[in-house]
Amino acid sequence: MRAAIYPGSFDPVTFGHIDVIERSSKLVDQLIVGVLNNNTKSPLFSVDERVNMLKEATKDFGNVEIISFSGLLVDFAQSHNIHILVRGLRAITDFEFELQMAQTNRIINPDIDTIFLTTNLQYAYLSSSNVKEVAMYNGDISHFVPGFVINKVYEKFGIPKR
Ligand code: ADP
């Protein structure tokens, strides 16, 4: 069985993430979305909130499982006996960081490879950070995140429901 892990912060999940999940889940038998718990970025949403939003967003995909992890990604992958990591590439600005991380992971564990899916052009501009920035100033985020996520984001900024 071919399995892969798509790791990330998902703070919160966006249409860009869901697109990568949908496309990569078609390339493997099982896709685990790994939600990073030990985040130095002090996330807006708790790890449980991020896991639950991802579960809701992917409930129609039969072979996708959402699991949180802390510590090293390669250790998480090894503990599930998974050798493929999936990451998304939006622009050249992602490339340097992603290349460095993939190479570091391969040095730590040479059995693990990272594959990259280029963004769907429709979502090339989209990141969790810009969702938060727009929401903070009461901007419209309905083009960025699923309907059920919208008010959860506003709530974090004390903005009344829309
Ligand atoms: P991290 O903090 O690990 O970068 P993110 O949740 O920001 O976590 O992103 C997880 C992965 O999803 C990364 O590989 C990122 O490049 C990718 N990604 C994020 N947004 C998009 C998008 N709009 N299109 C394609 N890939 C994306």
Side-chain angles (χ1 to χ4, degrees), residues 21-141:
I21 293 171
E22 183 171 11
R23 287 159 58 208
S24 54
S25 70
K26 290 178 184 156
L27 303 175
V28 293
D29 300 305
Q30 188 201 18
L31 181 74
I32 293 180
V33 180
V35 184
L36 187 60
N37 193 4
N38 57 344
N39 204 328
T40 47
K41 295 178 191 167
S42 52
L44 184 65
F45 289 95
S46 73
V47 71
D48 287 342
E49 289 172 320
R50 287 178 278 141
V51 165
N52 287 334
M53 285 188 284
L54 276 159
K55 281 186 176 165
E56 176 70 23
T58 61
K59 64 178 192 299
D60 294 332
F61 305 146
N63 61 342
V64 175
E65 201 179 341
I66 317 297
I67 302 179
S68 65
F69 73 99
S70 44
L72 286 178
L73 172 59
V74 285
D75 292 342
F76 174 61
Q78 191 72 54
S79 71
H80 287 270
N81 202 20
I82 289 177
H83 304 276
I84 304 170
L85 305 176
V86 175
R87 295 284 289 176
L89 283 180
R90 281 162 293 195
I92 194 75
T93 42
D94 281 339
F95 180 78
E96 211 168 325
F97 171 76
E98 293 292 341
L99 182 70
Q100 193 178 29
M101 203 165 73
Q103 287 172 335
T104 306
N105 285 338
R106 263 186 65 74
I107 297 286
I108 302 171
N109 188 333
D111 293 334
I112 294 179
D113 259 307
T114 306
I115 61 169
F116 297 97
L117 293 193
T118 53
T119 183
N120 189 325
L121 271 185
Q122 197 184 345
Y123 305 125
Y125 64 92
L126 184 51
S127 71
S128 297
S129 311
N130 62 30
V131 169
K132 286 179 274 195
E133 201 159 323
V134 172
M136 192 187 302
Y137 299 107
N138 202 7
D140 180 5
I141 55 170

Side-chain angles (χ1 to χ4, degrees), residues 135-153:
M136 192 187 302
Y137 299 107
N138 202 7
D140 180 5
I141 55 170
S142 62
H143 295 293
F144 311 150
V145 298
F148 73 91
V149 173
I150 296 173
N151 279 325
K152 294 185 199 300
V153 180

